[in-house]
Amino acid sequence: MSAAMPSVSRRLLARLRDVMAGGGTAEERLGKVVMLIAADMVAEVCSCYVMRAGEVLELFATEGLKKQAVHNTRLRVGEGLVGDVAAHARPLALADAQSHPNFAYRPETGEEIFHSLMGVPIIRGGRVIGVLVVQNRSMRHYTDEEIETLETVAMVLAELVASGELVNRDELVPVDGNALLPLRLEGIRLNAGVGIGVAVLHQPRVAIRRLVAEDPDTEMERLKSALAGIRDALDELFSRPEMRDGEHRDVLETYRMFTEDKGWLGRIGEAIRTGLTAEAAVQKVHEDMRARMSQISDPYLRERMHDFEDLANRLLQRLSGGDASPRGELPADAILVARTMGPMDLFDYDPKRLRGLVLEEGSPTMHVAIVARALDIPVVGRCKEVLDKVEALDPVIVDGDNAQVFLRPSEDIRDIFAEALSRRELRVAGYAKLKDLPAVTRDGVSVSLMMNAGLLLDLQHLDESGADGIGLYRTELPFMARSSLPDVTAQTVLYRKIMDQAAGKPVVFRTLDVGGDKVLPYWNPYEEDNPALGWRSIRITLDRPAVMRHQLRALLRAAAGRELRVMFPMIAEVAELVEARRILDLEIEHERDRDHPQPTAIKVGTMLEVPALAFQLDALLPRVDFVSIGSNDMAQFLFAVDRGNPRISERYDPLAPAMLTFLCGVAAKCDAAGVPLSVCGEMAGRPLEAMALIACGVRTLSLASPAMGPVKTMIRSLEVAPVRAYLDGLLHGPDRSLRNKLKCFALDHGVVL
Ligand code: PEP
Ligand code: MG
């Protein structure tokens, strides 16, 4: 029997493929499909139930039951045997179905004459979207092979059910244990704003084009060679000196063992022998596993599941020829969903079509969040398991303001958000009116608002935001966008364009600040235990002076005939600033020797983002023209908290007394020395934090352009003297954070946040 089954099933699969690709409506094709299955499996009945909104399984096609039951027989998930299959996402085979306690008799079907029943879930993306059932008059004992066959058929059928031709895709209700339609997920706010669109999976599940194979032996060979490819890649890793020993090697060795897991490979092999292509077989085994594992809460088992999931994805990628990038087919209103992303990954997508970003991980100062902010894309991070719960093209609403995400929202919810969106647009239009008004407090303190930028694209916001200039130009983003280091000419052209577009407003160019989470694609990242504390930023460019020299040369050339402002990042001690300045002087001389036109003035500043530098302010301030506090890194180092680690990145608040005391101290020193101080980290762009910074004595803020309106509104409603006095009274207290107190102060004093 077991030897005969696969070939029967293969013939069935080939026929199913023909019917599904043939003419007629989807229901007509489904009707033919159930007929074929009944005949092939020698069953008197074959029925297909499809999941509809409200967790209801509706009979869509039947061979053998009364036709009037079609679209009339409906069972809730968990109700009856069909509902049982859906609720548990597992097959059921009963010789005497009617004696089962869950049997629910439906007179309109005329099923009382059928005794045995075998049902399997129709699964897609880890969710049950229907149930396929066969029934026999006799008390038939269905074999394991028959169950396997029906599962394989159900997998092929899933294509038709999920296609949206039978029921609207919105209706395909997930029942994988805890996910129901519509779904609201909570996360953390990484960028405010609301986006409405459809889901695009950043690492989309590989689309399998070919489900049914001609020759199982060829498929087995393909599977073997894909596995061999993965093993070779692992072996290559093992041969590297740094992989000689250590825990990372153990982890990878365990992973390699999975590629030889007999049970897993055996199930894939069986699926191939039933007539599926190698990729469809991997997918099938994987879907089965996911559906069953979703009900398992043991964290260890779930971890193993991730290993298999990763392996399955790699296999699928190899088997279906690689590039799963969705570029080119991005929907007009796309919501990107990803586990996590590097800052450049966003640029694989057309920003004009991106309405939002949802990440399973993430922290407010991670660079992709910063880039998203510059592009004004709402972002919700730490949205747990969103990838398990969303399907490509699901309708999604990202509500960055309230850190929530709606998957497949109802009409009502959609209307509410569409309205909120248009209200927000009105508010933005209101901010636009503020653009030419000064950022002056009610008690006459003038604050300079500058803009953060990192892309030429950002420059278009300079005028419309009314910013006084660019307070931080992150030069690394263009470096990261290329496949090789840009040469002096390319950099000169770029920097000149930036200055041209700034049209006389000052631009502070920060020299290359890579490393940490900003990886250049053409520089092999140096393996480090703590990249945030590692070889990054100025440490790299001081060690590779040619890179620094070329960048400075390009900046000098681009600024010929106008003022140049250069800022060095991650300076930890004055000696580093002195060394960086020496390199700049060399370049100035280099250009002078060649009679190249010079900038009219050169202002040199430093970022203050490593606490040690603050203890050398007496030596530093006479040597710089300005200082800018990078509050993202500063908070990371002050609290010893990795800004990219979601577990802890929010453990400490930048509005903690320690951080604010620190800021007040630096502001006072800079003021006394007459050195302009700004803050250019993310803090500066949030009204409450900006209020605290102004209270500390900071008079220049550099922020992302969308934050300009809200921060200016806050400033124009603020009186500095009372908030300063209030803050002074709090700095020495034991509070973890002054956030609530400052918020209450703002409310009581009419400060608009
Ligand atoms: C900072 O650290 O606050 C900063 C502005 O620099 P970046 O975020 O680019 O590291
Ligand atoms: Mg920094």
Side-chain angles (χ1 to χ4, degrees), residues 367 472 474 510 513 518 609 630-633 643 680-681:
H367 282 104
L472 167 64
R474 291 183 162 97
R510 182 176 72 181
D513 184 24
K518 289 178 273 191
E609 46 187 351
S631 53
N632 306 336
D633 274 313
R643 69 194 247 187
C680 64

Side-chain angles (χ1 to χ4, degrees), residues 104-124:
Y105 176 55
R106 287 284 191 268
E108 72 277 10
T109 59
E111 66 180 327
E112 60 276 11
I113 51 172
F114 303 107
H115 289 98
S116 52
L117 176 145
M118 165 166 70
V120 297
I122 303 174
I123 296 172
R124 176 74 178 216

Side-chain angles (χ1 to χ4, degrees), residues 90-111:
R90 61 170 180 240
L92 198 62
L94 300 166
D96 182 10
Q98 292 176 21
S99 66
H100 191 280
N102 274 2
F103 180 76
Y105 176 55
R106 287 284 191 268
E108 72 277 10
T109 59
E111 66 180 327

